[in-house]
């Protein structure tokens, strides 16, 4: 994607502070909603050989000197790698290069800080020894919980009791556990119960992500929420927040024009942080500005070139607003929906989000 001809001068060439490391293609759960590009049935995203533990550690050590302050281990399933404990333990003691601010907020120099580490997992492979390892290092944990009664359907046979049990054990061990719920047309009806079940076993942090039809999910268009169901999702979340006195983040860039009321406890994200706040490294060391991006933009060894390329800079410069959004007074705080969802479903980053008709005009 980044030929010499498209390496233009852009205003923001800085490395995002968060790197999502997809350690492996392997996963113990064939989730129907999984967005990983190598799971697309078309096979257009080539699976190159996975990096060794030693190579991953070399990459992490380079990242922490380049501006990355937080890494999130994911996959596939990170615990599917037998050498994940080695990678995790060594990464957890690293220091990241970070700016030093004075009392006015002005940068006065560069210093160091402990590298923040997160682990995104389905939890099914976490046993007693892994709980002890995680408890010793205190990373942030993100566990997927796509429903209760529908958990097995969404995960291809996963055990919801095991998921709730590991959330409980990790919470009891003093870890901050967040639950990520991919909300689909199938599990929307039990969203409230799912939130309350996770809250009961120790979770105080929730991410709601509407299902996007990418990766393996391309074969399940019937799981997609429509505009009315997006509102229902937010309403249910707000009521759950009131019952539990928590706040919930609703993501995947819900367009501002579809939010019909003010929510007090649900924080609705309408701005894409891909390529700006985070980027992704796949199991072979190729990079993407977003975990939903359908192709790589280069190798981690050429990160600066990838960031300067025109595709990545669409995210930095926000030059991908759909035509229908360009005159909207809210476009400085909204990206018009998920840009990669538009790209995948309609062939362009600047196409209307799939929540809208192809021409962007909502029928009354």
């Amino acid at each position: 994607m980044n030929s010499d001809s498209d390496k233009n001068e852009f205003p923001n060439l800085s490395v995002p502070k968060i790197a999502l490391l997809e350690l492996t293609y392997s996963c113990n759960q064939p989730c129907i909603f999984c967005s990983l590009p190598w799971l697309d049935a078309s096979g257009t995203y080539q699976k190159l050989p996975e990096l060794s533990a030693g190579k991953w550690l070399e990459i992490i050590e380079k990242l922490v000197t380049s501006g990355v302050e937080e890494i999130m281990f994911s996959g596939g399933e990170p615990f599917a790698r037998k050498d994940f404990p080695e990678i995790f333990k060594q990464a957890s003691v690293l220091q990241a290069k970070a700016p030093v601010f004075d009392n006015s907020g002005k940068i006065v120099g560069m210093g160091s800080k402990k590298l923040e580490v997160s682990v995104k997992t389905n939890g099914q492979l976490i046993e007693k020894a892994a709980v002890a390892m995680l408890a010793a290092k205190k990373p942030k944990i993100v566990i997927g919980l796509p429903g209760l009664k529908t958990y097995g359907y969404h995960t291809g046979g996963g055990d919801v009791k095991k998921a709730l049990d590991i959330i409980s054990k990790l919470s009891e061990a003093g870890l901050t556990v967040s639950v990520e719920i991919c909300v689909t047309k199938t599990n929307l009806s039990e969203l409230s119960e799912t939130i309350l079940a996770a809250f009961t076993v120790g979770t105080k942090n929730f991410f709601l992500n509407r299902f996007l039809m990418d990766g393996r999910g391309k074969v399940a268009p019937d799981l997609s929420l429509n505009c009315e169901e997006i509102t229902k999702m937010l309403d249910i979340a707000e009521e759950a927040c009131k019952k539990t006195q928590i706040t919930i983040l609703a993501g995947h860039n819900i367009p501002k024009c579809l939010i019909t009321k003010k929510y007090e406890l649900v924080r609705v994200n309408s701005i894409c942080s891909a390529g700006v706040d985070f980027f992704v490294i796949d199991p072979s060391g190729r990079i993407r500005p977003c975990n939903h991006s359908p192709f790589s933009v280069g190798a981690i060894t050429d990160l600066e070139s990838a960031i300067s390329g025109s595709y990545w800079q669409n995210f930095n410069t926000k030059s991908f607003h759909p035509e229908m959004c360009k005159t909207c007074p809210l476009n400085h705080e909204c990206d018009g929906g998920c840009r990669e969802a538009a790209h995948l479903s309609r062939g362009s980053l600047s196409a209307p989000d799939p929540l809208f008709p192809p021409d962007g005009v909502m029928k009354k």
Side-chain angles (χ1 to χ4, degrees):
M1 288 300 300
N2 291 309
S3 64
D4 290 338
S5 61
D6 73 7
K7 291 177 183 175
N8 303 316
E9 292 297 325
F10 291 95
N12 185 1
L13 301 180
S14 59
V15 176
K17 293 182 179 181
I18 303 172
L20 176 63
L21 311 184
E22 297 170 334
L23 295 181
T24 179
Y25 301 112
S26 299
C27 188
N28 55 306
Q29 289 190 162
C31 297
I32 194 169
F33 57 84
C34 188
S35 63
L36 294 171
W38 57 81
L39 297 175
D40 188 325
S42 68
T44 54
Y45 194 96
Q46 188 179 6
K47 291 169 65 173
L48 300 180
E50 293 184 5
L51 299 176
S52 66
K55 191 62 181 177
W56 271 116
L57 288 168
E58 285 179 23
I59 288 170
I60 294 168
E61 288 176 358
K62 181 179 179 181
L63 291 175
V64 299
T65 64
S66 303
V68 170
E69 299 178 17
E70 178 179 347
I71 58 172
M72 173 178 277
F73 292 117
S74 74
E77 168 55 46
F79 284 95
R81 279 190 71 132
K82 295 186 183 300
D83 56 6
F84 175 59
E86 173 191 351
I87 300 170
F88 170 79
K89 290 175 185 177
Q90 293 195 46
S92 296
V93 299
L94 293 177
Q95 296 286 310
K97 183 179 178 181
V100 176
F101 300 89
D102 64 16
N103 292 334
S104 68
K106 180 181 178 182
I107 296 177
V108 294
M110 295 299 294
S112 63
K113 57 178 284 189
K114 185 179 185 300
L115 176 67
E116 293 187 42
V117 177
S118 303
V119 181
K120 185 176 182 180
T121 172
N122 58 49
Q124 300 285 320
L125 300 180
I126 298 179
E127 302 297 344
K128 187 175 181 180
V131 172
M133 177 188 75
L134 294 171
K137 298 298 182 182
K138 294 291 190 291
K140 299 174 185 175
I141 306 293
V142 180
I143 293 183
L145 190 69
L148 296 177
K149 293 179 181 178
T150 63
Y151 184 91
Y153 165 75
H154 285 98
T155 62
D159 184 351
V160 68
K161 291 182 179 179
K162 175 66 185 277
L164 291 169
D165 182 61
I166 200 62
I167 291 170
S168 177
K169 284 184 168 63
L170 293 173
S171 298
E172 290 172 358
L175 291 155
T176 299
V177 181
S178 300
V179 161
E180 182 178 64
I181 303 173
C182 179
V183 184
T184 73
K185 197 180 291 287
T186 302
N187 65 19
L188 178 61
S189 62
E190 61 171 353
L191 177 57
S192 178
E193 291 83 355
T194 304
I195 294 170
L196 294 175
F199 176 80
T200 300
V201 295
T203 300
K204 303 296 188 293
N205 306 289
F206 290 84
F207 304 109
L208 300 188
N209 290 322
R210 61 181 168 115
F211 168 76
L212 298 178
M213 200 176 67
D214 53 8
R216 185 182 282 119
K218 272 193 173 181
V219 302
D222 291 344
L223 294 181
S224 298
L225 303 180
N226 59 35
C227 296
E228 292 75 20
E229 289 163 335
I230 291 289
T231 298
K232 185 176 180 180
M233 174 186 78
L234 298 176
D235 288 346
I236 292 170
E238 181 76 4
E239 287 304 309
C241 287
K242 290 176 181 177
K243 291 178 182 178
T244 56
Q245 294 302 299
I246 60 172
T247 57
I248 290 177
L249 177 63
H252 283 171
N253 307 332
I254 299 172
K256 287 277 187 183
C257 59
L258 298 184
I259 303 170
T260 58
K261 63 185 74 172
K262 182 177 180 180
Y263 294 96
E264 299 295 334
L265 298 171
V266 176
R267 293 184 291 126
V268 184
N269 179 38
S270 298
I271 290 284
C272 180
S273 57
V276 179
D277 296 326
F278 80 93
F279 70 105
V280 185
I281 308 175
D282 86 354
S284 70
R286 292 171 295 174
I287 50 181
R288 312 192 304 281
C290 175
N291 50 312
H292 295 280
S293 295
F295 46 74
S296 70
V297 292
I300 187 58
T301 52
D302 200 17
L303 178 58
E304 183 179 335
S305 176
I307 293 174
S308 69
S310 58
Y311 189 80
W312 193 304
Q313 285 300 315
N314 279 309
F315 295 88
N316 271 333
T317 61
K318 302 296 181 183
S319 56
F320 49 25
H321 277 102
E323 192 65 34
M324 68 184 203
C325 299
K326 289 181 177 178
T327 58
C328 177
L330 299 175
N331 66 15
H332 65 289
E333 53 184 289
C334 177
D335 288 332
C338 178
R339 295 297 88 223
E340 281 296 6
H343 184 191
L344 286 159
S345 63
R346 289 170 174 163
S348 170
L349 284 173
S350 57
D353 183 287
L355 286 167
F356 299 99
D359 61 4
V361 179
M362 299 294 283
K363 295 179 175 60
K364 296 184 179 180

